[in-house]
Amino acid sequence: MTSIAVIGGGSWATAIIKILSENNVSIRWWLRDRAAVEHIRKHHYNPDYLRDVRLSPRKVKTFTKITDALNGADYVILAIPAAFVQEPLAALTPKHFEGKRVVSAIKGMIPQRHILVTDWVEEHFHVPIDQMCVIAGPCHAEEVALEKQSYLTIASTHEACAADFAQLMSCSFVTANPLADLYGVEYAAVMKNIVALACGISHGLGYGDNFQAVMVSNAMQEIKRFVDAVDPRERDLSASAYLGDLLVTAYSQFSRNRTFGNMIGRGYSVQSAQMEMKMIAEGYYAVNSIYEMNKQYGVEMPITEATYKILYEREAPASEIAKLKLRLR
Ligand SMILES: NC(=O)c1ccc[n+]([C@@H]2O[C@H](COP(=O)([O-])OP(=O)(O)OC[C@H]3O[C@@H](n4cnc5c(N)ncnc54)[C@H](O)[C@@H]3O)[C@@H](O)[C@H]2O)c1
Ligand SMILES: O=P(O)(O)OC[C@H](O)CO
């Protein structure tokens, strides 16, 4: 039986565990919050996220020590927002990851370093890049909880590695397909969060669907320019791992990033929006990383620049979106 360690106690970790539990696997789940661990052991659901998801005590074991969760695991899935992933893994060494495949479920970048999570894992824990995958595609945890038909893309530099893990992430309500484009998929997943922030900000300011449709079309071009500059190769950005994820995050009621952006557009400060939201909007951190990274590449990125100026330079949302309006086509 495949043994899978899941690191993180949020909504996406909980949804991933629900999917994996449909297959013949054993899950070793590390959560930061001890009270949540106690609760799950006793009541078999996560008290903080997706409370309707029942967790099989036969398949899912919870741990408060991360090294215990990793013990004997074939796969390690990282499902903590990128801004917080370094701290819980700080005590781990390359030895803990020997012989294990690492899967990033994170759609964000390491904030202080402006690097992708897979690059950080390779650098820090010496996991070979071809032994890593990312979980991508348009998929909200809330819809997984409701067993609504969803599609995931498992991306890796090594197609066989992606294909193996895709099997484990497929079930009656999820179709997971492998794709050999680790970096393109990972960057596109980071960038769609920035676009969702911009869509939310515009919506909060009173812009309508017509404007958002143009924003999303321009965003797809912006993502293509950036990804082509950073990792040039042939790829079909209309595939669901890229365009699909952008659409779901820009339009869904469940989108954390859009919700956060909407609050900013309505006049909340960054701090008050963060306090009001129980969940993490990865795009807030990602926009800083992509903006900083782009100093090296010099790609034309009007949506990223406008979002950066609003969130990090405290420019007024109304005037930044008014300027952006003139740059969209
Ligand atoms: N939720 C989704 O539908 C979804 C879908 C696809 C990908 N993702 C990605 O999954 C990752 C996890 O997101 P999520 O939606 O589960 O997040 P979430 O907001 O539901 O949960 C937050 C998680 O972060 C942890 N956390 C919060 N503050 C922390 C801190 N200061 N230090 C350490 N840990 C802290 C919490 O314990 C919890 O595990 C993100 O990269 C997100 O982009 C989420
Ligand atoms: O839409 P968000 O901001 O909640 O992000 C969640 C996922 O990335 C959607 O695929």
Side-chain angles (χ1 to χ4, degrees):
M1 198 191 285
T2 309
S3 172
I4 304 173
V6 178
I7 308 302
S11 38
W12 194 219
T14 309
I16 288 169
I17 286 169
K18 178 178 168 68
I19 299 167
L20 291 169
S21 301
E22 296 284 314
N23 291 311
N24 188 25
V25 298
S26 76
I27 297 160
R28 306 175 69 78
W29 189 9
W30 176 82
L31 300 92
R32 182 174 61 126
D33 184 352
R34 280 171 183 269
V37 168
E38 289 307 319
H39 187 100
I40 293 165
R41 285 178 183 166
K42 210 164 156 192
H43 302 290
H44 315 304
Y45 67 89
N46 186 342
D48 302 316
Y49 301 92
L50 308 185
R51 292 166 64 96
D52 291 337
V53 170
R54 295 289 120 186
L55 302 159
S56 155
R58 194 170 56 80
K59 292 195 171 177
V60 183
K61 304 275 178 260
T62 48
F63 297 90
T64 52
K65 253 181 92 180
I66 207 159
T67 46
D68 290 342
L70 259 55
N71 199 7
D74 304 299
Y75 287 91
V76 181
I77 302 181
L78 303 177
I80 298 173
F84 310 119
V85 75
Q86 293 176 93
E87 196 208 308
L89 305 193
L92 301 180
T93 66
K95 198 122 193 80
H96 291 109
F97 288 87
E98 258 174 28
K100 298 180 188 350
R101 286 181 169 176
V102 174
V103 179
S104 171
I106 301 169
K107 293 178 178 173
M109 294 179 77
I110 303 295
Q112 303 80 356
R113 304 280 316 282
H114 313 313
I115 58 173
L116 292 173
V117 173
T118 52
D119 283 337
W120 177 73
V121 170
E122 183 188 29
E123 180 189 291
H124 217 68
F125 299 116
H126 307 169
V127 179
I129 201 77
D130 64 0
Q131 294 303 302
M132 280 192 260
C133 302
V134 297
I135 303 176
C139 194
H140 278 127
E142 293 78 1
E143 290 202 359
V144 170
L146 294 167
E147 301 192 0
K148 288 188 182 269
Q149 177 64 43
S150 303
Y151 296 81
L152 291 170
T153 296
I154 309 301
S156 174
T157 59
H158 185 44
E159 186 136 15
C161 177
D164 289 347
F165 189 68
Q167 273 192 355
L168 299 173
M169 288 296 289
S170 295
C171 65
S172 59
F173 51 92
V174 176
T175 305
N177 294 304
L179 184 68
D181 179 22
L182 182 78
Y183 295 114
V185 164
E186 211 172 346
Y187 278 117
V190 168
M191 291 182 69
K192 65 86 187 167
N193 286 335
I194 300 171
V195 180
L197 290 173
C199 288
I201 293 170
S202 312
H203 184 262
L205 286 167
Y207 288 82
D209 293 347
N210 296 350
F211 181 74
Q212 182 167 322
V214 175
M215 173 93 89
V216 171
S217 315
N218 279 252
M220 206 58 238
Q221 295 162 24
E222 184 164 321
I223 291 172
K224 179 167 170 39
R225 283 194 295 272
F226 185 78
V227 174
D228 282 352
V230 175
D231 183 46
R233 52 173 286 177
E234 209 161 297
R235 50 173 69 85
D236 175 9
L237 287 186
S238 67
S240 62
Y242 316 93
L243 177 60
D245 202 8
L246 175 63
L247 293 176
V248 83
T249 203
Y251 287 97
S252 170
Q253 52 164 324
F254 295 122
S255 171
R256 278 144 278 265
N257 288 287
R258 190 179 197 279
T259 303
F260 184 86
N262 190 44
M263 286 196 258
I264 300 293
R266 281 166 44 213
Y268 283 60
S269 67
V270 165
Q271 208 184 14
S272 50
Q274 281 173 331
M275 276 166 58
E276 186 136 321
M277 268 186 67
K278 191 168 175 267
M279 290 178 287
I280 308 292
E282 279 276 20
Y284 170 71
Y285 305 96
V287 70
N288 183 41
S289 286
I290 296 289
Y291 183 85
E292 288 299 325
M293 240 186 112
N294 195 39
K295 287 182 178 165
Q296 180 189 340
Y297 291 97
V299 172
E300 189 195 348
M301 300 185 81
I303 298 170
T304 302
E305 281 163 25
T307 311
Y308 174 86
K309 285 186 176 153
I310 292 166
L311 297 181
Y312 284 84
E313 292 181 351
R314 293 169 167 244
E315 295 292 345
S319 64
E320 275 312 310
I321 299 298
K323 280 189 242 166
L324 175 63
K325 194 167 80 176
L326 303 175
R327 298 179 71 185
L328 300 182
R329 291 285 172 267

